[in-house]
Amino acid sequence: MTEEIIMFNSKEAAQFKTNLSGWVSRDGIYYGANERLARYVGCTHRPCEDCGEPIEKSWFICQKCREKKDIQRYKAMPKEIWNEEGGIYSDPHNKFFWSWNEVEDYCYDNEIKEEDLRLVICEPQYPRLIEEDYFCDELADDGDDELPSEIVKAMEAFNKVLKQSAPLSWRPGNEAAIRNKTIK
Ligand SMILES: [Zn+2]
């Protein structure tokens, strides 16, 4: 790819215009008919799309409306009994819990209700196995070359270890965590 060279003093670099009309943002850049873009560049805030309150322009809806939506989304989630296997996660409090006791202590210490945590069951994240094509960038492009058998064997052995691994981490899934009502 060759990049076109535009010299400082060429007529392509800039042109003197007369009788311009169009939108100019606060910092003096001309956007022609694009009022929306000129306004976006020139503003710092815009109205929340739900309630109309001023918010920083990079957001679409305000903190309060986001929270409202999060609560709605949480209420719509399927509910599943969590028997303290793996972890559960609270998005509003950005915290993982590993037992119901821990949840109770946290609620007590922070003077909040359990439902305020909007607990979600986490899913285990196991190590990804390495695939045969892991070295495709290093092999010749013609596709005829194969990996040396020692490497293939080592990859198989490595994958075997990975398959037996405990979860490397836990990530919030798509089910709300509830208690088994029969055992408290
Ligand atoms: Zn709002």
Side-chain angles (χ1 to χ4, degrees):
M1 275 246 317
T2 53
E3 208 181 312
E4 199 187 351
I5 294 172
I6 310 285
M7 289 304 288
F8 180 84
N9 54 359
S10 70
K11 73 178 198 313
E12 287 82 15
Q15 289 172 35
F16 183 80
K17 299 275 188 194
T18 51
N19 298 324
L20 266 186
S21 70
W23 290 92
V24 176
S25 66
R26 188 165 51 112
D27 54 0
I29 295 170
Y30 176 70
Y31 289 94
N34 200 338
E35 175 180 357
R36 219 184 131 74
L37 183 58
R39 287 189 177 280
Y40 183 81
V41 172
C43 77
T44 62
H45 286 63
R46 59 172 161 179
C48 165
E49 287 186 358
D50 281 5
C51 71
E53 285 292 308
I55 46 166
E56 278 180 36
K57 69 176 174 183
S58 57
W59 292 98
F60 289 103
I61 60 171
C62 73
Q63 174 72 45
K64 257 192 210 160
C65 292
R66 277 208 302 279
E67 168 106 9
K68 229 186 272 173
K69 282 206 165 138
D70 286 348
I71 291 171
Q72 277 170 7
R73 204 177 308 128
Y74 184 74
K75 280 186 176 161
M77 271 184 169
K79 286 158 191 54
E80 193 60 50
I81 291 168
W82 181 62
N83 288 322
E84 304 191 328
E85 233 175 86
I88 47 177
Y89 178 72
S90 164
D91 184 51
H93 286 253
N94 186 22
K95 187 169 166 53
F96 286 90
F97 296 94
W98 308 99
S99 72
W100 284 115
N101 271 342
E102 205 187 326
V103 172
E104 276 165 32
D105 290 347
Y106 185 83
C107 289
Y108 180 80
D109 292 344
N110 292 278
E111 296 177 350
I112 53 167
K113 283 187 260 167
E114 206 167 289
E115 66 201 58
D116 298 335
L117 291 172
R118 304 204 289 273
L119 294 164
V120 169
I121 296 179
C122 292
E123 286 166 3
Q125 305 296 310
Y126 292 102
R128 225 170 337 113
L129 303 187
I130 44 172
E131 308 275 345
E132 285 265 344
D133 64 0
Y134 185 78
F135 294 106
C136 64
D137 289 343
E138 287 78 14
L139 286 169
D141 284 340
D142 56 23
D144 292 340
D145 285 355
E146 285 185 8
L147 280 176
S149 63
E150 313 88 83
I151 294 187
V152 174
K153 266 188 210 150
M155 283 168 86
E156 282 167 3
F158 187 51
N159 277 338
K160 207 173 152 191
V161 173
L162 296 180
K163 279 183 196 163
Q164 289 161 357
S165 163
L168 296 185
S169 67
W170 294 84
R171 273 195 211 145
N174 300 307
E175 288 170 329
I178 52 167
R179 287 169 185 265
N180 190 344
K181 291 278 192 306
T182 53
I183 40 169
K184 174 93 185 140

